[in-house]
Amino acid sequence: MGAHMAGAGSYAFRPIHAHILVVGWLSLFAWAVYYKVFQTSQTVLAKVQVWSAIIGTVGLTFGMWLNIVKPFNLPEAFTLIIYIGGGVTLLLSYISFCFITLFYREQR
């Protein structure tokens, strides 16, 4: 995506590209490392966190693309719902990860 923007000379995808990098790569990578290093006792909350992270990341970036680029001429209310819904889902993922790390107990 970055190479396309540079080659085309258009930076329309800049916010989408930034969110894919920060949320899609950095946050998901950090969470994966945490789950690899630490065994969590809240397995249900961990599953909720992982799935809400995946759904939220896809929803946020896809909704952002629909809202900013407007490729299909969809109603703005529809694209905004996807955009905000993805962001809220991702926010719930961050909050649940915070609870997982705060209440972590080392298993023996």
Side-chain angles (χ1 to χ4, degrees):
M1 187 177 288
H4 169 71
M5 287 189 302
S10 170
Y11 295 102
F13 292 111
R14 187 174 49 195
I16 302 155
H17 182 251
H19 279 80
I20 288 173
L21 289 176
V22 172
V23 176
W25 281 101
L26 297 176
S27 296
L28 295 178
F29 175 76
W31 293 330
V33 168
Y34 178 84
Y35 287 127
K36 185 71 175 172
V37 172
F38 299 102
Q39 295 291 329
T40 61
S41 59
Q42 299 94 350
T43 56
V44 173
L45 187 58
K47 287 179 185 178
V48 167
Q49 190 272 326
V50 168
W51 280 107
S52 62
I54 293 168
I55 293 167
T57 300
V58 171
L60 177 72
T61 54
F62 182 67
M64 185 181 288
W65 176 69
L66 287 175
N67 197 336
I68 294 172
V69 179
K70 299 181 187 346
F72 303 119
N73 201 18
L74 296 170
E76 189 170 347
F78 177 74
T79 60
L80 204 56
I81 288 171
I82 295 174
Y83 188 7
I84 292 172
V88 168
T89 306
L90 190 61
L91 181 63
L92 293 174
S93 176
Y94 277 98
I95 292 169
S96 60
F97 186 74
C98 182
F99 282 124
I100 290 170
T101 57
L102 286 176
F103 299 117
Y104 170 75
R105 282 187 236 131
E106 190 170 327
Q107 296 177 351
R108 295 177 189 218

